[in-house]
């Protein structure tokens, strides 16, 4: 009889034997159904700021509107002269006529006329001669402002003299107080509009208005602020020299800059390029 030698008990491993772990089962390759979903965008740009919340100052510089208002730099006379030259001469004629209106109101002349009157008291020169000499001196102030005399500058000197004399000849000298008040208000409004008309033609400003536009461009301040400061300074100097000052003088100095700035966007000439690049918002 054959003896069964099979040992039912498990064998003990050899002391030097290392047991092998079973290899892990391979994971299935991710298919279309198992691919991880891409996280949804939060609607924010790379800067972390929502597009709709981006401040207006972050827009490109070329898209920002100009702080001083419409462009007022010189444009050569050959560009649309039939459109711009009539505007220039009309504005200058209105300006000279507005000065005559304020003189006939007899409630106070504009600050520059106060300066001329004060200088007239201390010299043997006439009112008109002093006006021309002061205009020439103001042109010297254009040098640090990088302003240059142009056709409009010369036209300013000539046309103003004739239109002011014509206005004084047409308007009556003796007017009652209600009429004088109406002349004063109308003269100030007409003066501010006239400045916007002939400066907006961009044929070159007159001596005094070139000082205004040059200082505004250099400092970045508004036309209203620069014009008001100039008028108040001239008024103070003229009054200290003995020039006559009235309620109309103060009213003119405080309001003409605001009127001019309000009317400039309506009167300023824009080149075809400026029309296409002008901001719409």
């Amino acid at each position: 009889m054959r003896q069964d030698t099979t040992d039912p008990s498990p064998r003990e491993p050899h002391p030097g034997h290392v047991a092998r772990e079973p290899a892990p089962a391979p994971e299935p390759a991710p298919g279309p159904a198992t691919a991880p979903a891409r996280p949804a965008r939060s609607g924010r740009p790379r800067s972390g700021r929502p597009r709709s919340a981006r401040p207006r100052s972050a827009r490109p510089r070329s898209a920002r509107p100009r702080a001083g208002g419409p462009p007022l730099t010189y444009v050569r006379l050959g560009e649309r002269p039939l459109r711009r030259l009539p505007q220039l001469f009309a504005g200058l004629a209105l300006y000279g006529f507005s000065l005559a209106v304020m003189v006939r109101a007899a409630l106070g002349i504009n600050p520059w006329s106060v300066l001329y009157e004060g200088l007239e008291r201390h010299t043997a020169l006439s009112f008109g001669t002093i006006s021309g000499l002061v205009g020439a001196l103001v042109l010297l102030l254009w040098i640090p402002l990088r302003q240059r005399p142009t056709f409009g500058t010369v036209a300013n000197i000539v046309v103003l003299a004739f239109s002011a004399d014509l206005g004084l000849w047409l308007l009556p000298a003796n007017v009652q107080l209600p009429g004088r008040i109406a002349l004063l208000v109308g003269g100030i409004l007409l003066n501010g509009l006239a400045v916007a008309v002939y400066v907006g033609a961009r044929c070159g400003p007159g001596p005094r208005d070139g000082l205004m536009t040059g200082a505004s461009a250099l400092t970045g301040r508004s036309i209203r602020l620069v014009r008001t400061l100039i008028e108040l300074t001239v008024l103070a100097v003229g009054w200290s020299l003995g020039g006559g000052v009235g309620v109309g003088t103060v009213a003119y100095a405080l309001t003409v800059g605001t009127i001019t700035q309000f009317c400039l966007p309506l009167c300023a000439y824009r080149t075809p390029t400026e029309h296409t690049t002008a901001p719409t918002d």
Side-chain angles (χ1 to χ4, degrees):
M1 183 175 180
R2 190 176 178 179
Q3 187 177 359
D4 186 8
T5 58
T6 304
D7 189 359
S9 62
R11 292 184 180 181
E12 295 183 0
H14 191 272
H17 176 73
V18 178
R20 296 181 178 179
E21 296 182 358
E27 296 182 0
T34 60
R38 182 177 297 179
R41 294 183 179 181
S42 60
R44 296 172 179 264
R46 293 184 179 180
S47 60
R49 184 176 296 170
R51 296 179 185 273
S52 59
R54 186 176 295 180
R56 297 177 63 89
S57 60
R59 294 183 299 172
R61 183 177 297 274
S62 59
R64 299 181 199 173
R66 295 175 180 265
L72 299 176
T73 53
Y74 175 76
V75 177
R76 59 186 182 85
L77 291 178
E79 182 173 329
R80 300 188 65 184
L82 297 180
R83 153 69 172 81
R84 296 165 54 219
L85 289 180
Q87 177 178 338
L88 170 66
F89 289 112
L92 293 175
L94 289 176
Y95 186 88
F97 186 80
S98 68
L99 296 181
V101 171
M102 293 185 62
V103 170
R104 289 295 185 235
L107 292 174
I109 50 182
N110 69 73
W112 287 98
S113 297
V114 173
L115 176 62
Y116 305 153
E117 189 177 271
L119 291 173
E120 189 180 15
R121 291 176 177 270
H122 298 275
T123 64
L125 302 176
S126 66
F127 187 93
T129 303
I130 292 176
S131 174
L133 291 176
V134 170
L137 291 175
V138 171
L139 288 179
L140 296 178
L141 298 177
W142 284 26
I143 298 176
L145 300 177
R146 298 180 180 180
Q147 297 279 88
R148 294 181 180 179
T150 60
F151 175 80
T153 308
V154 179
N156 182 285
I157 299 173
V158 176
V159 176
L160 288 189
F162 285 101
S163 58
D165 289 341
L166 179 62
L168 291 173
W169 180 73
L170 292 175
L171 296 172
N174 298 321
V175 183
Q176 298 298 323
L177 181 59
R180 292 163 56 195
I181 295 176
L183 287 174
L184 174 64
V185 175
I188 294 175
L189 293 175
L190 185 61
N191 189 275
L193 172 62
V195 173
V197 170
Y198 77 79
V199 171
R202 300 175 68 177
C203 296
R208 301 153 194 84
D209 299 299
L211 181 64
M212 172 188 70
T213 56
S216 176
L218 181 65
T219 62
R221 302 297 182 180
S222 66
I223 292 291
R224 176 181 61 248
L225 176 61
V226 172
R227 180 79 183 205
T228 301
L229 291 177
I230 292 175
E231 297 292 339
L232 290 177
T233 302
V234 171
L235 173 60
V237 175
W239 179 71
S240 66
L241 294 174
V245 178
V247 62
T249 308
V250 178
Y252 178 92
L254 294 177
T255 60
V256 69
T258 302
I259 297 170
T260 300
Q261 180 165 315
F262 176 80
C263 297
L264 267 174
L266 305 175
C267 305
Y269 169 78
R270 293 182 183 271
T271 64
T273 303
E274 292 165 347
H275 269 296
T276 56
T277 59
T280 56
D281 57 339

